[in-house]
Amino acid sequence: MDRSLHAALARWTLGLSPAAVGAAYLDWAVHLAACPGKRFDLLGEAAKQMARFANYSWAASLQSPPPTIVEPLPQDRRFAGAGWQHWPFNILSQGFLLQEQWWQAATSNVRGVSRHHEAMVQFGARQILDTLSPSNFLPTNPELLARTASEGGTNLLHGLQHMAEDWQRQVTHQPPVGADEFKVGVNLATSPGKVVLRNRLIELIQYAPRTEKVRPEPILIVPAWIMKYYILDLSETDSLVRYLTEQGFTVFMISWKNPGPAERDLGMEDYRTLGVMAALDAISAIVPSVKVHALGYCLGGTLLTIAAATMAREGDQRLKSVTLLAAQVDFSEAGELTLFIDESQVAFLEDMMWEQGGLDASQMAGTFRLLRSNDLLWSYIQRNYLLAERPPLNDLMAWNADATRMPYRMHSEYLRHLFLDNDLAEGRYLTGGKPVAISDIRVPIFAVGTEWDHVAPWRSTYKIHLLADCAITYVLTVGGHNAGIVSAIDRPNRSYRIATRDAGGAYLDPDRWLDEATRHEGSWWPALTAWLGAHSGEPVAPPALGAAEAGYPPIGDAPGTYVLET
């Protein structure tokens, strides 16, 4: 009864636990009420801001444009247009930014409030303020007013048509406008290859070689299952798979099944055994007597670390190296996603997933839109519904719209054991009934973080240095969680920093590493292939696709069938 009630309530709260949100605001309000000094400071700050705003408003009526009194954050582009520099819109934008400053002060540094509750209250205040931003409304946005005047209001009519079209596509579970131009196997995920293994959770793709000779050690790529695998094989110009094969590597890729109700009880251990370990067994049969370079992206990198630590514990020496792309192993500082992770919230999500059998793609997408509401929600509304613009989708946007589900048991274990309890970093995570330790891993590690990552902040991924004693080459590249990883060599405005810590070397904190790491222009992909090449043998003839005699015959062409499941 309780679980069914919570699941029904979750439909109205977007999956947020009312108890968790209420506890955070109660914690903040009670402690603020018990801090008269803090309230007095806030009152004084409000008086100062009112005086500054009054002076600014007076100056704005006499000169154009007056000097600003508060600058937005570097990533805030809402008031960057020229129209915002003129009266009365400069007054509106400056007044709004002053309010943001005051609420930041009001929700910060209240003695006694837990760090988690403080972050939740700050997040809630920011969401409310973002909703009320003058950039969101036609009468208070000079760019919207100018477009409406120049087009005689037809932009609003076309915007309503866009809104109706988006609503229809959402209720009928169709992809967004423009996604129809991208087809998996046609202009997405086009690298040639064969499916050489299929079980109830994965298809394993072996890609065809593009060079006469290849490095003897194959590469196994373990992508995240929160989205489709082909982010690493997007288009011909944005494919890490294509780049690796062109550099003389044999590449295998796991393609995860899109789970449904029948897979609700698959857990993290199933993903390890049916995923990583089953793939390694197949690769060892197809390319025998050589070790494997294993590469994991995002959640796939976390799983790969678990598998590598388990293999080290069991004396399994099939790995030659481990590469982690935007992957976390210590979740104590896992970014804004931790706003939604505490005991109350996890229990609430478990009840919702228990009824559904898993976490739906639209629910995950809603969480990410909340985390970046300015970029993913309000700017979309302005551009598509008020300006009536339909920016064309690119390959990365089309992939992002091709979402997957998460099984109930796996996602519950992931949230509890990794995010909530941080068991992997603290030596309590169990595989095969026994704990694993990342410090057991002895093969070299190549880890990549991205500067603007809101899913796996780079300082969180950097913590691999605290947990592994092996040699670690760490790369910090520009970009976000996805665009920073999909970094084709001809893409402009790319750069990265790189440094290596030898096995057993001294620890450098992230700030010092940032100062000392060597900066390079361009994509980090060549650095990866150079590192892999340095840990590989001399080139040999490429292996056959599959090994029928060993029980792994080619059973279909890439990209396979699991990636096509909706």
Side-chain angles (χ1 to χ4, degrees):
M1 183 184 300
D2 293 344
R3 285 193 149 192
S4 297
L5 174 63
H6 297 162
L9 185 59
R11 299 190 186 98
W12 297 95
T13 64
L14 302 178
L16 295 176
S17 166
V21 175
Y25 276 93
L26 182 62
D27 187 10
W28 170 73
V30 169
H31 283 93
L32 183 60
C35 292
K38 174 72 172 179
R39 299 201 310 275
F40 184 79
D41 289 343
L42 291 173
L43 182 62
E45 182 64 24
K48 290 179 184 178
Q49 290 191 351
M50 289 176 65
R52 294 172 67 196
F53 183 66
N55 291 334
Y56 178 83
S57 300
W58 174 252
S61 66
L62 299 177
Q63 63 186 72
S64 181
T68 58
I69 53 177
V70 57
E71 295 290 341
L73 296 174
Q75 66 269 25
D76 186 353
R77 306 293 298 170
R78 287 174 293 183
F79 310 117
W84 291 102
Q85 310 308 315
H86 302 289
W87 188 92
F89 305 106
N90 49 7
I91 296 176
L92 292 172
S93 62
Q94 289 292 289
F96 175 78
L97 293 172
L98 284 170
Q99 286 189 68
E100 278 195 330
Q101 277 193 347
W102 188 88
W103 276 105
Q104 176 66 24
T107 55
S108 303
N109 301 318
V110 179
R111 283 185 61 82
V113 179
S114 74
R115 182 180 303 178
H116 179 66
H117 285 164
E118 179 181 87
M120 289 182 68
V121 172
Q122 289 175 344
F123 177 78
R126 189 166 68 249
Q127 294 302 312
I128 295 172
L129 287 169
D130 287 346
T131 302
L132 299 176
S133 170
S135 61
N136 295 336
F137 303 99
L138 177 62
T140 55
N141 187 319
E143 297 166 347
L144 300 180
L145 286 172
R147 175 67 63 86
T148 303
S150 66
E151 298 187 5
T154 57
N155 58 303
L156 300 180
L157 177 61
H158 294 153
L160 285 174
Q161 294 172 337
H162 291 170
M163 184 184 298
E165 184 178 21
D166 286 350
W167 178 82
Q168 181 183 20
R169 284 177 172 268
Q170 184 173 6
V171 298
T172 56
H173 304 290
Q174 297 181 55
V177 175
D180 298 335
E181 299 179 8
F182 295 90
K183 299 291 184 184
V184 174
V186 177
N187 53 2
L188 296 173
T190 58
S191 293
K194 295 290 184 180
V195 175
V196 295
L197 166 67
R198 180 185 295 127
N199 60 32
R200 64 178 299 208
L201 186 58
I202 71 164
E203 289 180 330
L204 181 65
I205 301 170
Q206 181 184 358
Y207 290 97
R210 294 181 183 271
T211 54
E212 291 185 1
K213 290 189 174 183
V214 299
R215 297 288 186 169
E217 298 86 357
I219 298 173
L220 168 62
I221 299 180
V222 185
W225 53 89
I226 193 171
M227 298 293 285
K228 299 291 181 67
Y229 82 87
Y230 61 87
I231 186 175
L232 299 176
D233 185 30
L234 278 173
S235 58
E236 290 190 0
T237 58
D238 283 333
S239 171
L240 179 59
V241 167
R242 185 182 183 92
Y243 180 75
L244 289 171
T245 53
E246 288 176 343
Q247 301 304 307
F249 291 95
T250 299
V251 177
F252 292 80
M253 173 91 81
I254 289 175
S255 173
W256 301 99
K257 181 178 178 60
N258 192 3
E263 288 77 37
R264 61 176 292 135
D265 291 324
L266 288 175
M268 285 289 292
E269 186 71 348
D270 296 306
Y271 274 75
R272 182 183 71 87
T273 56
L274 294 174
V276 178
M277 303 313 298
L280 283 172
D281 290 342
I283 294 171
S284 296
I286 296 169
V287 192
S289 304
V290 294
K291 295 186 177 183
V292 178
H293 295 299
L295 182 154
Y297 175 40
C298 185
L299 185 54
T302 306
L303 180 67
L304 174 59
T305 305
I306 294 170
T310 304
M311 294 171 69
R313 184 192 69 196
E314 302 297 328
D316 187 337
Q317 299 181 5
R318 285 181 289 175
L319 293 184
K320 182 73 171 181
S321 72
V322 170
T323 298
L324 304 176
L325 308 183
Q328 300 177 99
V329 293
D330 184 321
F331 291 80
S332 58
E333 295 179 320
E336 286 195 321
L337 279 175
T338 56
L339 291 169
F340 305 99
I341 306 299
D342 58 25
E343 182 61 44
S344 175
Q345 183 62 54
V346 169
F348 196 71
L349 282 172
E350 285 176 335
D351 292 344
M352 180 180 69
M353 295 188 297
W354 168 79
E355 184 181 70
Q356 298 174 171
L359 190 63
D360 189 74
S362 62
Q363 293 164 327
M364 288 187 288
T367 299
F368 288 115
R369 279 196 294 269
L370 280 177
L371 290 176
R372 299 179 59 199
S373 59
N374 277 336
D375 296 331
L376 301 181
L377 179 60
W378 299 117
S379 63
Y380 180 89
I381 291 173
Q382 293 168 29
R383 188 182 308 114
N384 286 267
Y385 303 155
L386 296 175
L387 294 173
E389 298 174 350
R390 281 288 202 197
L393 264 67
N394 57 31
D395 51 9
L396 187 59
M397 296 165 68
W399 165 84
N400 192 60
D402 190 9
T404 60
R405 295 172 292 274
M406 304 275 267
Y408 157 65
R409 181 181 172 190
M410 184 285 303
H411 201 47
S412 172
E413 292 174 349
Y414 172 66
L415 292 176
R416 282 198 172 275
H417 295 300
L418 297 177
F419 261 101
L420 186 60
D421 296 334
N422 205 23
D423 285 345
L424 178 59
E426 297 178 12
R428 295 186 300 270
Y429 191 90
L430 303 181
T431 62
K434 295 181 288 185
V436 295
I438 297 174
S439 59
D440 287 341
I441 299 174
R442 293 290 181 264
V443 297
I445 293 176
F446 187 95
V448 180
T450 62
E451 288 188 7
W452 309 315
D453 199 327
H454 65 286
V455 177
W458 80 266
R459 292 173 186 273
S460 182
T461 64
Y462 185 83
K463 289 189 174 185
I464 186 67
H465 290 83
L466 292 170
L467 299 171
D469 298 325
C470 55
I472 298 175
T473 297
Y474 190 82
V475 170
L476 178 62
T477 181
V478 297
H481 187 70
N482 297 323
I485 299 301
V486 183
S487 184
I489 57 173
D490 58 352
R491 183 166 293 185
N493 303 318
R494 301 277 106 179
S495 65
Y496 65 94
R497 292 178 173 88
I498 186 170
T500 297
R501 186 203 70 183
D502 294 332
Y507 172 73
L508 284 180
D509 66 87
D511 292 326
R512 186 178 170 191
W513 183 94
L514 198 62
D515 291 335
E516 297 185 5
T518 306
R519 187 175 185 274
H520 300 269
E521 296 297 325
S523 168
W524 59 269
W525 286 6
L528 171 63
T529 54
W531 184 86
L532 289 171
H535 292 85
S536 300
E538 294 300 317
V540 296
L545 296 180
E549 69 284 357
Y552 296 98
I555 55 178
D557 292 330
T561 59
Y562 281 177
V563 71
L564 302 177
E565 295 179 343
T566 58

